[in-house]
Amino acid sequence: MSAHDASLVTVGERLDRLAAGHPAASAVISVAPDARRTALTWGELSHLTNAAARGLAARGVTPDTTVAIALPAGLDHVVATVAAWKLGALVVPLDPAAPAAERSAIADMLGAHVLIGEGAGASLRPGWWRTGEHSGEPLPRQGMPRSASLTGGTTGLPRVIVRRRPWAYRPGAWLNEHERTQGMRLGQTQLVVLPLHHSGFGALYQGLVLDHQVIIMESFVPSLFPRLVEEHRVGHVRLVAAMMRMILDVPGLRDHDLSSIESIHHGAGPCSEKVKRAWLDLLGPERVYEVYTSQERVGRTVIRGDEWFEHPGSVGRPTDYEIEILDEAGRRLDPGEVGEIYFRSPASAQPLYLGPGPRLAERDGFISIGDLGYQDADGYLYLVDRKSNVINVGGQNVYPAEVEAVLLDIPGIADTVVEGRPHEYLGQAVHALLVAADPADPVPIAVVDEHCRERLSAAKVPMSYESVPSVPRRNNGKIRRSEIQR
């Protein structure tokens, strides 16, 4: 796609045009954990990002530059990202709190790049746009803005995937059909609570393209969620299951007016049936959408709350994709049989990775990220677990996600991880790490074990339990299994 395709509008051009239309309207509000606010109007956002882009250009950034942004959620992240895009650069959002070894490995994958951040190794710290030395007037188009994202890194170091589509749009085609049918519209207020180095990135910047007023929660504080929804009349938000559980525990949650919410999208990470049903009751099933996808973008399914009541536990049916459930020999499995999930679409392609690494499994154009599941007779997909997480107990496959869901239904269990531990006779045995909601009053192991035995077959019941203060999770909610101490 040509950098000078006159039929397309880049993200920077779109935001400048919106600013020209309503310069004094609020564009972005950043909320600190103590509820203090900082904000930018559309006019300020346009002016600052133009000045920042000129400052980046003076420092050598061009459309051929990779710009890594390791900044916390907030206004600086927005200004730096949009400024880099106005130069046509490839933007890669990074976790500013990532451990040194991970940062080093990702830097090797990126190759030559400019790092904007506060920590050691940063090429540039935020705030260069505040000097006043650069004009805030719009720049001529420099190139097509692009981005790359990191995989979840559940079992090890993440990989960097380049988004195939640039951040550019056909005029008027700001809202795609998926967004339209799943409760999104132009001009909403959107609350961004997910990390900006993961799913929150697309939510925030696509939201700006949709002329959303974006409220950024700099750090997720459950008690702030209902207050911000009520105060700003939030219409759209994306969550993960861990956040959904914590919000339900906020005292007086139902005393807040949440009626402005038109759609909540949550990922298909393990969400217990109890938590799911509580949200469907809280908001109404027509407002809650569960979306199963991945950073690799090889497939996508969606289910709305009213459909979920008909197919409880499902993550929905595919949108513009075909699904096959295959065994290890590549044989197509019947409804109800668990196998590896493969997706195919007319645009299916292997992810474009930066740095070395294996290709995804592929059969006849169908691609898999290694998740296991099954379909029912109506074509609804049910996730079981990631293939690499399966525990083999005496020849029987046990899926940690199933056991974790049972454990999370126990009052007093705040978090859990289930994994396989070596066993002399069985090969592996199920081991559960338990995080108590109240460390001073943990749930007795006997109660936990009885709960599991009533709901799980013998091979799936944990053979051992361990109380821990926390489990290692990324702030996108995914477990860092490689960091679990054994």
Side-chain angles (χ1 to χ4, degrees):
M1 186 176 291
S2 169
H4 299 286
D5 188 339
S7 67
L8 297 178
V9 178
T10 68
V11 58
E13 291 164 346
R14 166 67 171 168
L15 301 189
D16 282 344
R17 293 178 189 181
L18 288 171
H22 41 60
S26 176
V28 186
I29 300 172
S30 188
V31 184
D34 62 2
R36 286 180 297 121
R37 322 291 170 92
T38 52
L40 290 175
T41 65
W42 281 97
E44 290 167 338
L45 177 63
S46 176
H47 180 89
L48 286 176
T49 54
N50 289 331
R54 293 178 186 278
L56 285 176
R59 291 164 171 81
V61 174
T62 73
D64 296 322
T65 304
T66 296
V67 177
I69 298 182
L71 293 172
L75 301 184
D76 284 351
H77 195 292
V78 176
V79 174
T81 298
V82 175
W85 274 340
K86 285 185 172 181
L87 298 176
L90 172 68
V91 170
V92 187
L94 302 181
D95 181 358
E102 182 173 308
R103 291 200 304 271
S104 176
I106 292 171
D108 290 342
M109 294 179 206
L110 296 180
H113 65 282
V114 171
L115 175 61
I116 300 174
E118 294 283 8
S123 314
L124 191 61
R125 286 171 170 74
W128 70 86
W129 53 82
R130 300 189 187 100
T131 62
E133 68 178 294
H134 298 291
S135 167
E137 292 299 310
L139 296 81
R141 182 182 295 186
Q142 307 294 305
M144 278 293 167
R146 297 153 295 136
S147 68
S149 57
L150 272 62
T151 61
T154 306
T155 57
L157 286 174
R159 298 183 70 184
V160 182
I161 304 172
V162 178
R163 186 179 191 256
R164 290 189 177 274
R165 290 190 302 109
W167 283 79
Y169 303 77
R170 302 290 176 192
W174 323 116
L175 187 71
N176 67 41
E177 189 59 26
H178 296 314
E179 293 166 336
R180 190 186 312 279
T181 59
Q182 292 156 29
M184 296 180 68
R185 59 178 176 80
L186 298 174
Q188 285 176 307
T189 294
Q190 180 181 170
L191 178 59
V192 174
V193 301
L194 296 176
L196 298 190
H197 59 274
H198 203 259
S199 302
F201 183 86
L204 192 163
Y205 294 105
Q206 178 63 5
L208 289 176
V209 168
L210 298 179
D211 196 12
H212 286 182
Q213 176 183 248
V214 175
I215 316 297
I216 301 173
M217 198 181 290
E218 294 176 7
S219 181
F220 180 65
V221 178
S223 61
L224 275 178
F225 178 90
R227 292 166 52 189
L228 293 174
V229 169
E230 184 172 43
E231 177 183 347
H232 294 282
R233 307 302 296 158
V234 168
H236 176 71
V237 65
R238 299 183 192 184
L239 296 166
V240 295
M243 292 174 173
M244 294 166 72
R245 290 199 304 272
M246 289 186 276
I247 292 168
L248 290 173
D249 290 335
V250 172
L253 175 65
R254 290 180 178 272
D255 295 334
H256 291 273
D257 181 5
L258 308 180
S259 63
S260 62
I261 294 176
E262 298 171 68
S263 60
I264 275 189
H265 291 188
H266 75 90
C271 181
S272 74
E273 183 169 337
K274 182 173 70 174
V275 169
K276 179 83 172 194
R277 289 185 182 276
W279 275 90
L280 298 180
D281 177 64
L282 180 68
L283 298 180
E286 295 81 7
R287 303 185 194 183
V288 180
Y289 296 82
E290 185 165 356
V291 182
Y292 166 59
T293 186
S294 65
Q295 294 293 338
E296 291 87 351
R297 298 174 182 267
V298 301
R300 188 175 189 271
T301 66
V302 177
I303 190 166
R304 201 170 73 171
D306 47 352
E307 287 182 277
W308 187 91
F309 279 132
E310 300 295 323
H311 302 269
S314 172
V315 294
R317 291 189 288 190
T319 57
D320 300 334
Y321 292 90
E322 300 172 76
I323 288 183
E324 295 279 18
I325 308 296
L326 306 177
D327 66 13
E328 292 188 357
R331 180 179 65 91
R332 182 185 299 174
L333 298 177
D334 293 329
E337 292 186 291
V338 174
E340 191 166 351
I341 303 165
Y342 285 79
F343 286 97
R344 183 174 69 182
S345 78
S348 287
Q350 287 282 335
L352 179 59
Y353 293 109
L354 295 181
R359 289 164 56 90
L360 297 180
E362 184 171 359
R363 294 179 184 270
D364 299 324
F366 285 84
I367 300 174
S368 171
I369 61 169
D371 283 348
L372 300 176
Y374 64 92
Q375 287 180 285
D376 64 18
D378 296 320
Y380 283 82
L381 179 66
Y382 297 75
L383 294 183
V384 174
D385 213 320
R386 179 58 67 92
K387 186 177 181 181
S388 59
N389 295 342
V390 174
I391 305 166
N392 189 299
V393 180
Q396 180 173 338
N397 285 341
V398 175
Y399 305 104
E402 178 186 2
V403 183
E404 288 164 358
V406 169
L407 290 167
L408 287 171
D409 270 339
I410 302 173
I413 300 293
D415 203 356
T416 184
V417 175
V418 168
E419 61 168 0
R421 293 285 174 92
H423 189 278
E424 183 177 2
Y425 300 107
L426 298 174
Q428 286 184 298
V430 179
H431 178 76
L433 303 177
L434 306 174
V435 180
D438 180 359
D441 186 24
V443 181
I445 295 301
V447 172
V448 176
D449 193 60
E450 181 181 0
H451 178 91
C452 291
R453 292 185 184 281
E454 290 174 352
R455 293 162 176 80
L456 297 168
S457 62
K460 299 175 183 179
V461 174
M463 192 169 288
S464 54
Y465 300 89
E466 181 182 352
S467 295
V468 294
S470 64
V471 296
R473 289 187 182 271
R474 297 182 180 276
N475 52 14
N476 60 18
K478 292 190 175 183
I479 300 165
R480 294 177 180 262
R481 292 188 182 273
S482 61
E483 296 182 13
I484 295 173
Q485 299 297 317
R486 292 174 171 82

